[in-house]
Amino acid sequence: MRKNILVGQSGGPTSAINATLYGVIKEAQKQNDISEIYGLRNGIEGALNDNIINLNYFKDDEMLTLLKTTPSAYLGSCRYKLKENDLETYSKIFKTFEKYNIGYFFYIGGNDSMDTVNQLKTYACDKNFDIKIIGVPKTIDNDLVITDHTPGYGSAAKYIATSFKEMYYDSKVYNKPSVTIMEIMGRHAGWLTAAASLGVDFNEHENVLIYLPEQSFNMDSFLETVNERIKRNNCIIVAISEGIKFEDGRFVCNSGGDTEKDAFGHSTLSGCGRVLEYSVKNKLKLKSRAVELNVLQRCASHFASLTDLDESALAGSSAVKYAISGETGKMVCLKRATGEQYKIETETVDVSEVCNKEKFFPKEWITKDCFVSSEFIKYASPLILGEPKIKMENGLPVYISL
Amino acid sequence: MRKNILVGQSGGPTSAINATLYGVIKEAQKQNDISEIYGLRNGIEGALNDNIINLNYFKDDEMLTLLKTTPSAYLGSCRYKLKENDLETYSKIFKTFEKYNIGYFFYIGGNDSMDTVNQLKTYACDKNFDIKIIGVPKTIDNDLVITDHTPGYGSAAKYIATSFKEMYYDSKVYNKPSVTIMEIMGRHAGWLTAAASLGVDFNEHENVLIYLPEQSFNMDSFLETVNERIKRNNCIIVAISEGIKFEDGRFVCNSGGDTEKDAFGHSTLSGCGRVLEYSVKNKLKLKSRAVELNVLQRCASHFASLTDLDESALAGSSAVKYAISGETGKMVCLKRATGEQYKIETETVDVSEVCNKEKFFPKEWITKDCFVSSEFIKYASPLILGEPKIKMENGLPVYISL
């Protein structure tokens, strides 16, 4: 019997999460086993309040291609954390699944979303629901384990590297010594901040300092390093992760004030760039400026990585194939083929092996001169290659929304 | 007798100031009256410390085209203010001009740079120096008088409109009401902030609020407006200029702390986005986030406006022609041809009519619903059209530097 599919998006938006949705829709349209393609509004919340739409209006290639290059999350997102024993909530969700005759459920998201996939799969098994549940990774943070990298990371990395490069060109125009700091997302993992390295010359980076959350931050040694290097370099540029901490565990961003918490209890960070800026101004009496990339780094589809969009779409289409072939409770992984030539294949992994875990930036890739090793450059370079053809109108990218 | 030319860049960098340099070099190469093409390092400072380079290595078109699409100021910049009676300094500058047999001097810059052009021209006339001095406008702020718009504005406007659009897509993913604020450059003139309007639907902008420095800002009425509109719009996006002030003249950004001053005594502003963010959080108890575009808006060459780059180059090449034809003490202006079809020509204006003046955003273009009128859309839309072909390498734009 033909079943319907349901697809949802969750967690922070990226430039590539809609490319995965594109992949799911495109592949589902080809599959004879699938009847209707439904979209879940605002992630799992849509299943709780029956907010589900039929995506059958995605017919022509032009509209689907627009979806692929649109930032944000087309279906909306949520930050809803399923509690393990909240059976009433699970029952509500599965009633919605039954109502729409859902045989396959795809959830595109990060760490917390994979936890949702795991909970739903466990409940489905316990209650003998005939539904295949597959998680598709998405996060600019690149902090999911097992998968070589996460869809969404490449586009963010490309934007960060480009902006860092442009900021460097901008900051070196004056004769006066200056320190320019870019604060980049990444609570615990330094992958995004490390991507700034791609924007500068690997063989000549004495004026570049990179600080990741994987290593504790020492203000005195930072100021000493700046003071030393500015003797030979008129302009120092610094990439720091929002999540850098002092040795005693305090967030650098908090040294000036209080932190806020999001729905998952994660601290909302911002401001460590400013803390460094003021330290440089006050202690070293140098011109300094902090730039915070903020949400721009996760939505800059106008300069997305084509490699990332293609791989994100591949993750989506593979998810459909895995589900049809009977897999459930799995997350789609990107697997880098061995050999010199960069090539990505997909495989699946039990979602329980992924959720609630974090992949950190390898400490051995952090160099003593406050930069990253060539291993990182080799790892990350292929992920930012290529630019998608963006539909333009009146000088601006065209995006679609519900 | 053939003479040499000297060209310098001054003031804040833009995505288009090198396109003007490109125009100057390209045109000078064609002119029989011109022998060597010299570049002034770090603006007028280069004439004081004899830091001048021969640009004859710009030979092939590929290198020149790279210059056209490179952000920042290739020759370096300065924020050096010439004092009116400092005859020693003038004498030093003109000694350098004589040493290099300079017959034509081009200074690419904004308001303050045009003042430099004016001072130099006055001194040259007084002392009977045979040198033609021409100013070429450049500023993302679009605040120079007489010229229809300034080279550099279109690219910044395109980036702002695009980022505002992407931020809007990003911020509307959650079900929870939210207020997202983008702080945009512009000390006294709202041109840049107004460009955010280009990124949204003119016929459906109830969820968009724009505040320019030309009108005083009232916090209570801002909060009231947000509170009213959020009833019908889940997500409100706000574009504010860094320079907005309360009715009593205090900068909004200063309501939380002190301001700094740059070399010209201008206040260095930042932070009014945060002031609004905290007001929304504390008074309205709504989710809020402030994004500051900072220097990114003046160096994002990866998404420059082709129209802007072409016009910037035109301003540069026209400057050379005007100088050769004998004009001096003039600034090149962009003049919009009358008629429906957008077309730009150049003309000259006495630089004394431009320097130390500012062109403000017309108050009658600010609408009562905190948006801008269709006149502005009509004015600004052509300026952001087209994308230059950017040379890419390893997934990143290729730029050149000295």
Side-chain angles (χ1 to χ4, degrees):
Chain A
M1 200 192 82
R2 292 174 85 205
K3 289 258 192 173
N4 303 325
I5 79 159
L6 180 65
V7 53
Q9 300 170 308
S10 178
T14 78
S15 293
I17 189 169
N18 286 333
T20 300
L21 179 60
Y22 158 94
V24 168
I25 296 173
K26 201 138 167 126
E27 183 60 36
Q29 288 175 340
K30 289 186 206 158
Q31 294 285 347
N32 288 326
D33 292 348
I34 292 171
S35 182
E36 301 297 322
I37 303 168
Y38 288 112
L40 192 63
R41 296 297 317 271
N42 293 106
I44 207 64
E45 283 178 17
L48 290 169
N49 51 27
D50 196 1
N51 198 352
I52 281 170
I53 54 170
N54 195 317
L55 296 171
N56 60 7
Y57 56 85
F58 275 103
K59 284 207 174 90
D60 58 288
D61 244 27
E62 199 193 328
M63 198 175 164
L64 268 168
T65 305
L66 262 185
L67 178 65
K68 189 179 171 187
T69 55
T70 289
S72 175
Y74 179 78
L75 297 169
S77 184
C78 70
R79 288 210 177 270
Y80 190 95
K81 182 107 177 155
L82 282 179
K83 287 177 205 100
E84 219 171 300
N85 300 315
D86 185 2
L87 297 182
E88 200 183 322
T89 298
Y90 288 99
S91 148
K92 231 176 176 175
I93 292 170
F94 279 83
K95 270 200 185 115
T96 306
F97 287 174
E98 280 192 306
K99 176 179 169 188
Y100 289 90
N101 188 28
I102 304 302
Y104 312 97
F105 176 57
F106 304 97
Y107 210 42
I108 314 167
N111 226 310
D112 297 310
S113 313
M114 291 311 129
D115 184 67
T116 301
V117 170
N118 196 34
Q119 305 288 352
L120 292 177
K121 176 247 168 183
T122 306
Y123 186 87
C125 287
D126 286 355
K127 305 281 178 187
N128 275 318
F129 279 102
D130 180 22
I131 182 169
K132 309 299 173 210
I133 301 172
I134 303 279
V136 198
K138 167 283 339 170
T139 169
I140 60 166
D141 290 328
N142 198 35
D143 61 351
L144 292 185
V145 296
I146 303 174
T147 187
D148 178 79
H149 55 278
T150 56
Y153 175 63
S155 293
K158 185 188 187 95
Y159 179 75
I160 289 165
T162 302
S163 298
F164 197 67
K165 180 175 190 163
E166 291 175 337
M167 189 184 81
Y168 171 48
Y169 271 74
D170 181 275
S171 64
K172 70 180 178 179
V173 298
Y174 297 115
N175 242 334
K176 202 176 161 187
S178 69
V179 180
T180 313
I181 299 150
M182 182 174 278
E183 181 182 327
I184 297 164
M185 280 180 168
R187 246 180 218 114
H188 307 122
W191 297 103
L192 285 172
T193 305
S197 67
L198 301 170
V200 298
D201 186 347
F202 185 76
N203 298 310
E204 220 178 293
H205 61 254
E206 213 221 2
N207 58 336
V208 185
L209 298 169
I210 294 180
Y211 294 99
L212 311 184
E214 281 81 0
Q215 224 165 38
S216 64
F217 180 83
N218 184 294
M219 188 64 85
D220 291 337
S221 110
F222 162 68
L223 293 171
E224 245 169 63
T225 308
V226 169
N227 212 21
E228 178 54 29
R229 299 212 196 165
I230 208 146
K231 290 175 192 161
R232 293 175 301 278
N233 304 277
N234 195 39
C235 121
I236 304 282
I237 45 170
V238 185
I240 47 160
S241 168
E242 58 176 351
I244 51 169
K245 286 176 182 178
F246 295 118
E247 281 112 285
D248 62 8
R250 276 180 310 129
F251 280 112
V252 172
C253 66
N254 286 357
S255 42
D258 280 324
T259 183
E260 295 174 283
K261 286 195 166 47
D262 72 8
F264 287 100
H266 304 315
S267 294
T268 305
L269 308 180
S270 86
C272 63
R274 280 286 152 89
V275 173
L276 266 63
E277 174 192 325
Y278 289 122
S279 294
V280 167
K281 280 179 179 167
N282 295 334
K283 300 275 172 55
L284 303 180
K285 310 292 173 202
L286 287 170
K287 191 182 155 190
S288 183
R289 188 198 277 265
V291 176
E292 191 188 340
L293 280 190
N294 214 316
V295 295
L296 301 172
Q297 63 204 291
R298 72 182 188 197
C299 61
S301 284
H302 72 271
F303 211 60
S305 154
L306 180 60
T307 300
D308 182 32
L309 295 194
D310 285 344
E311 289 174 356
S312 300
L314 174 70
S317 59
S318 303
V320 174
K321 288 179 190 161
Y322 290 127
I324 296 278
S325 77
E327 296 201 51
T328 188
K330 300 291 175 68
M331 184 186 87
V332 177
C333 283
L334 300 179
K335 190 183 168 187
R336 193 182 296 231
T338 48
E340 273 307 297
Q341 187 77 20
Y342 175 77
K343 197 170 176 280
I344 283 295
E345 293 151 1
T346 62
E347 59 180 1
T348 56
V349 60
D350 205 290
V351 76
S352 63
E353 289 182 49
V354 179
C355 61
N356 302 318
K357 287 175 188 165
E358 283 176 291
K359 184 170 74 183
F360 298 108
F361 191 88
K363 277 200 176 163
E364 59 275 22
W365 287 7
I366 304 175
T367 58
K368 282 215 175 74
D369 62 348
C370 305
F371 203 69
V372 293
S373 73
S374 61
E375 282 94 339
F376 172 72
I377 307 293
K378 200 178 162 196
Y379 165 82
S381 292
L383 315 185
I384 65 167
L385 292 181
E387 298 74 48
K389 205 178 147 32
I390 305 280
K391 186 179 175 187
M392 300 290 295
E393 220 169 74
N394 301 323
L396 296 174
V398 180
Y399 300 136
I400 52 166
S401 60
L402 265 170
Chain B
M1 201 192 79
R2 292 174 83 202
K3 289 258 191 170
N4 302 324
I5 79 157
L6 181 64
V7 53
Q9 300 169 308
S10 179
T14 77
S15 292
I17 188 168
N18 287 332
T20 301
L21 180 60
Y22 157 94
V24 169
I25 297 173
K26 202 137 168 128
E27 183 60 36
Q29 288 175 340
K30 288 186 208 161
Q31 294 286 348
N32 288 326
D33 292 348
I34 292 171
S35 182
E36 301 297 322
I37 303 168
Y38 289 110
L40 191 63
R41 296 297 317 272
N42 294 105
I44 206 65
E45 283 178 19
L48 290 169
N49 51 27
D50 196 1
N51 198 353
I52 280 169
I53 55 169
N54 195 316
L55 296 171
N56 60 8
Y57 56 85
F58 275 102
K59 284 207 174 88
D60 57 286
D61 244 28
E62 198 193 329
M63 198 174 164
L64 268 169
T65 304
L66 262 184
L67 178 65
K68 189 179 170 187
T69 56
T70 288
S72 174
Y74 179 79
L75 296 168
S77 185
C78 71
R79 288 211 177 266
Y80 189 95
K81 179 106 178 156
L82 282 179
K83 286 179 205 96
E84 219 170 302
N85 301 314
D86 184 3
L87 298 181
E88 201 184 321
T89 298
Y90 288 98
S91 145
K92 232 176 175 175
I93 291 170
F94 279 85
K95 271 200 184 114
T96 306
F97 287 174
E98 280 191 305
K99 178 178 167 189
Y100 289 90
N101 189 30
I102 303 303
Y104 311 97
F105 177 56
F106 304 97
Y107 209 40
I108 313 166
N111 225 310
D112 298 311
S113 313
M114 291 311 128
D115 185 66
T116 301
V117 170
N118 196 34
Q119 305 288 351
L120 292 176
K121 177 248 166 181
T122 306
Y123 186 87
C125 287
D126 287 354
K127 305 281 179 187
N128 275 318
F129 279 102
D130 180 24
I131 180 168
K132 310 297 175 212
I133 302 173
I134 303 279
V136 198
K138 165 280 345 164
T139 169
I140 60 167
D141 291 326
N142 198 35
D143 60 351
L144 292 185
V145 295
I146 304 173
T147 188
D148 178 78
H149 56 278
T150 57
Y153 174 63
S155 293
K158 186 189 186 93
Y159 179 76
I160 288 165
T162 303
S163 298
F164 196 67
K165 181 174 190 163
E166 291 175 337
M167 189 185 82
Y168 170 48
Y169 271 74
D170 181 276
S171 63
K172 68 179 179 179
V173 298
Y174 298 115
N175 243 334
K176 204 176 159 185
S178 69
V179 180
T180 313
I181 299 150
M182 182 174 278
E183 180 181 328
I184 297 165
M185 280 181 169
R187 245 179 221 114
H188 308 123
W191 297 103
L192 285 171
T193 304
S197 66
L198 302 171
V200 297
D201 187 347
F202 185 74
N203 298 310
E204 219 177 297
H205 60 255
E206 213 220 1
N207 60 335
V208 185
L209 298 169
I210 294 180
Y211 294 99
L212 310 184
E214 281 81 359
Q215 221 163 41
S216 65
F217 180 82
N218 184 295
M219 188 64 86
D220 290 337
S221 108
F222 163 68
L223 293 171
E224 245 169 66
T225 308
V226 169
N227 212 21
E228 177 53 29
R229 298 214 195 165
I230 208 145
K231 289 175 194 162
R232 294 175 299 277
N233 304 276
N234 195 39
C235 120
I236 304 281
I237 46 170
V238 185
I240 47 161
S241 168
E242 57 175 351
I244 52 169
K245 286 177 182 176
F246 294 119
E247 281 112 283
D248 61 9
R250 277 179 309 129
F251 280 112
V252 172
C253 66
N254 286 359
S255 43
D258 282 323
T259 181
E260 295 174 285
K261 287 197 166 43
D262 72 8
F264 287 100
H266 304 315
S267 294
T268 305
L269 309 180
S270 85
C272 62
R274 280 286 152 89
V275 173
L276 266 61
E277 175 191 324
Y278 289 123
S279 294
V280 168
K281 280 179 181 168
N282 295 333
K283 300 273 171 58
L284 302 181
K285 310 292 174 202
L286 286 171
K287 191 181 156 192
S288 183
R289 187 198 278 266
V291 176
E292 191 187 341
L293 280 189
N294 213 316
V295 296
L296 302 171
Q297 64 203 293
R298 72 181 189 197
C299 62
S301 283
H302 72 272
F303 210 60
S305 153
L306 180 60
T307 300
D308 182 31
L309 295 193
D310 285 345
E311 290 175 354
S312 301
L314 174 71
S317 60
S318 303
V320 174
K321 289 179 190 161
Y322 290 127
I324 296 277
S325 76
E327 295 202 50
T328 188
K330 301 289 175 70
M331 184 186 88
V332 177
C333 284
L334 301 179
K335 190 184 167 186
R336 194 182 296 229
T338 47
E340 272 307 295
Q341 186 77 19
Y342 175 77
K343 197 170 174 280
I344 283 296
E345 293 151 2
T346 62
E347 60 182 0
T348 56
V349 61
D350 204 289
V351 76
S352 64
E353 289 182 49
V354 179
C355 62
N356 303 317
K357 288 176 188 165
E358 284 176 289
K359 184 171 71 184
F360 298 108
F361 191 88
K363 278 200 177 163
E364 60 275 22
W365 287 6
I366 304 175
T367 57
K368 283 214 174 77
D369 63 345
C370 305
F371 203 69
V372 293
S373 72
S374 61
E375 283 94 339
F376 172 72
I377 307 291
K378 199 178 164 198
Y379 165 82
S381 292
L383 315 184
I384 66 168
L385 292 181
E387 297 75 50
K389 206 180 144 32
I390 304 281
K391 187 179 175 187
M392 300 290 295
E393 219 169 75
N394 301 322
L396 297 173
V398 180
Y399 300 136
I400 53 167
S401 60
L402 265 169

